[in-house]
């Protein structure tokens, strides 16, 4: 048995789970999933990059880091109207949560932040859940976001504490944990996960899952991303991850964090439908919906609708057809 009390959970216990025969692991994930959630319902988020590129951080996977030579077009902070239009379209397309991402190292107290607060207020008023990912923040900034109506703040641990320095050197694991504590203290829900397939070992994947599960309380939302290789980043040629690793990570996340939403996140467009189906079986109950993640392509709504139909799944917001506005 795996200890349920997070503080007592040992990394070896996570390793034991992760390395179980795959079908035993999936079966256990499915059992826990069905005890805590409706297995036919999938939470659907849509992403929008509200400020793109020229980020000071040196994350080796990221198209938006100024340290990487990618041919991404930089874009200043969007106008509020552009964000409202995108949020309306996301809702019309079936999303129940709208996530705004900014390529900032940290939030600065300036006019741009005021505009972001207004964006949050506007999106919230559309009766959508709101999520933001704007880099590091202070307790006071977290409070302002909470008051504006931000439901979730996304800030990922990305990988194990040991492998972290191989991927990012401009901020530490502890910096990330400090931001997460500020988010939690302000009363927002935490969205925190990581990326698999960055050349890390299986033990690093286990270390990441252990770190996520020992947070108290665990994150309400756990995005499991597979690296989207981006030309011009140091990780562009890392060999793709074996499909079972995503399934294992999803199942372990589900077993260790039974109440959380586990999101099959970036990299889904490169996975077969069969592998995705196994992830849903193992406990994934959330996805990013739409043609675009932040700067890279996503599977697109139509293909996802077909997949949902085939598997008997439905989004939280099975929306009636609505008029799509040109962005
Ligand atoms: N700048 C903020 C930050 O890093 O917290 C927010 C935006 S950042 C793009 C959000 C998350 O996206 C990162 O923490 C990382 O886990 C994920 N991500 C970025 N690029 C990715 C890629 N190429 N493949 C998979 N996940 C990626
Ligand atoms: C998360 O864990 N995945 C999302 C969200 N949080 C912000 C981001 C994925 C980004 C994928 C690469 C891109 O499109 O730039
Ligand atoms: Fe900047 Fe976030 Fe990309 Fe890192 S992941 S370079 S912090 S946008």
């Amino acid at each position: 048995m795996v200890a349920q009390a997070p503080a007592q959970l040992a990394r070896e216990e996570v390793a034991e789970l992760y390395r179980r025969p795959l079908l035993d692991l999936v079966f256990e994930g499915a059992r826990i999933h069905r005890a805590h959630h409706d297995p036919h319902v999938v939470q659907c988020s849509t992403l929008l990059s509200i400020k793109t590129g020229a980020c000071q951080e040196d994350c080796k996977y990221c198209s938006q880091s100024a340290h990487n030579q990618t041919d991404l077009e930089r874009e200043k902070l969007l106008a509020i109207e552009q964000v409202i239009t995108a949020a309306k379209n996301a809702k019309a397309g079936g999303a129940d949560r709208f996530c705004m991402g900014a390529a900032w190292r940290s939030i600065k107290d300036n006019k741009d932040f005021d505009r972001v607060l207004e964006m949050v207020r506007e999106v919230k008023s559309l009766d959508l859940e709101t999520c933001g990912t704007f880099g590091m923040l202070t307790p006071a900034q977290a409070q302002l976001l909470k008051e504006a109506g931000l439901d979730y703040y996304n800030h990922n641990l990305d990988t194990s504490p040991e492998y972290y320095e191989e991927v990012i050197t401009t901020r530490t694991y502890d910096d990330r944990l400090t931001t997460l504590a500020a988010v939690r203290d302000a009363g927002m829900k935490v969205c925190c996960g990581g990326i698999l397939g960055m050349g890390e070992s299986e033990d690093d994947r286990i270390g990441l899952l252990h770190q996520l599960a020992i947070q108290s309380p665990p994150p309400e939302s756990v995005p499991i991303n597979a690296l989207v290789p981006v030309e011009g980043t140091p990780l562009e040629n890392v060999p793709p991850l074996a499909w079972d690793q995503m399934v294992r990570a999803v199942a372990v996340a589900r077993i260790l964090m039974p109440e959380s939403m586990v999101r099959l996140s970036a990299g889904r467009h490169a996975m077969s439908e069969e592998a995705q189906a196994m992830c849903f079986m193992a406990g994934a109950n959330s996805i990013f919906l739409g043609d675009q993640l932040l700067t890279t392509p996503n599977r697109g709504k139509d293909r996802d609708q077909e997949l949902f139909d085939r598997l008997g799944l439905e989004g939280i917001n099975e929306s009636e057809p609505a008029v799509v506005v040109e962005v």
Side-chain angles (χ1 to χ4, degrees):
M1 263 316 270
V2 171
Q4 289 299 311
Q8 286 153 27
L9 179 71
R11 186 159 160 161
E12 296 72 53
E13 291 176 271
V14 184
E16 185 277 323
L17 254 186
Y18 193 97
R19 294 186 171 127
R20 276 190 195 174
L22 185 65
L23 299 185
D24 295 353
L25 180 57
V26 170
F27 187 81
E28 181 65 0
R31 192 182 68 76
I32 304 249
H33 185 40
R34 279 154 195 264
H36 291 86
H37 303 269
D38 181 340
H40 306 108
V41 176
V42 178
Q43 187 274 317
C44 298
S45 296
T46 289
L47 281 164
L48 177 69
S49 183
I50 60 168
K51 184 267 167 183
T52 306
C55 182
Q56 293 162 35
E57 302 280 12
D58 70 352
C59 310
K60 286 199 174 70
Y61 49 76
C62 189
S63 61
Q64 307 202 65
S65 166
H67 301 258
N68 299 338
Q69 265 66 59
T70 65
D71 52 17
L72 181 77
E73 252 182 64
R74 300 170 172 193
E75 199 166 358
K76 292 200 171 117
L77 188 65
L78 296 184
I80 293 169
E81 294 67 35
Q82 291 173 290
V83 176
I84 296 173
T85 303
K88 284 182 178 165
N89 285 341
K91 190 173 176 186
D96 52 88
R97 188 180 305 165
F98 190 67
C99 304
M100 293 160 273
W104 285 332
R105 175 167 201 273
S106 58
I107 298 178
K108 304 276 181 301
D109 291 309
N110 58 19
K111 287 215 161 68
D112 276 359
F113 184 42
D114 294 340
R115 199 192 296 175
V116 167
L117 293 171
E118 188 53 26
M119 289 172 186
V120 172
R121 280 189 279 270
E122 292 284 351
V123 175
K124 185 74 185 164
S125 75
L126 298 174
D127 200 23
L128 276 162
E129 281 195 309
T130 53
C131 175
T133 180
F134 312 128
M136 292 185 278
L137 47 59
T138 64
Q141 292 164 339
Q143 197 57 50
L144 288 169
L145 285 166
K146 165 76 186 165
E147 283 162 17
L150 195 69
D151 297 308
Y152 288 81
Y153 197 79
N154 165 253
H155 205 65
N156 289 341
L157 290 176
D158 279 349
T159 188
S160 68
E162 305 81 53
Y163 197 67
Y164 185 88
E165 288 172 18
E166 303 290 324
V167 182
I168 303 149
T169 68
T170 47
R171 58 164 151 62
T172 64
Y173 219 73
D174 273 350
D175 289 334
R176 289 248 126 184
L177 292 168
T178 303
T179 291
L180 289 168
V183 170
R184 179 68 74 203
D185 288 350
M188 282 183 284
K189 292 183 192 152
V190 169
C191 173
C192 181
I195 311 178
L196 313 187
M198 300 192 292
E200 76 285 344
S201 65
E202 194 172 271
D203 198 48
D204 290 313
R205 297 194 271 279
I206 289 162
L208 166 68
L209 289 160
H210 178 241
Q211 286 297 321
L212 294 171
I214 61 173
Q215 288 182 56
S216 183
E220 282 81 4
S221 169
V222 182
I224 310 281
N225 298 279
L227 176 73
V228 180
V230 177
E231 218 180 300
T233 63
L235 300 184
E236 67 174 310
N237 292 319
V238 173
L241 194 70
W243 64 270
D244 70 290
Q245 296 294 306
M246 284 297 276
V247 180
R248 285 178 191 280
V250 164
V252 171
R254 167 54 63 226
I255 294 165
L256 297 178
M257 295 171 274
E259 300 287 347
S260 304
M261 306 302 281
V262 177
R263 183 171 313 119
L264 190 53
S265 302
R268 207 164 51 81
H269 70 298
M271 290 173 73
S272 72
E273 292 205 344
E274 292 87 336
Q276 291 183 61
M278 211 174 233
C279 288
F280 289 122
M281 181 80 190
N285 60 349
S286 167
I287 60 165
F288 286 121
L289 195 67
D291 299 333
Q292 178 89 356
L293 294 167
L294 287 173
T295 68
T296 64
N298 196 25
R299 255 174 71 92
K301 155 104 176 124
D302 293 348
R303 291 178 68 208
D304 278 340
Q305 191 56 57
E306 279 170 26
L307 178 62
F308 276 22
D309 289 347
R310 201 164 287 138
L311 301 180
L313 299 174
E314 60 179 13
I316 288 182
N317 168 23
E318 283 295 274
S319 76
E320 59 285 3
V323 182
V324 174
V325 195
E326 284 301 317
V327 187

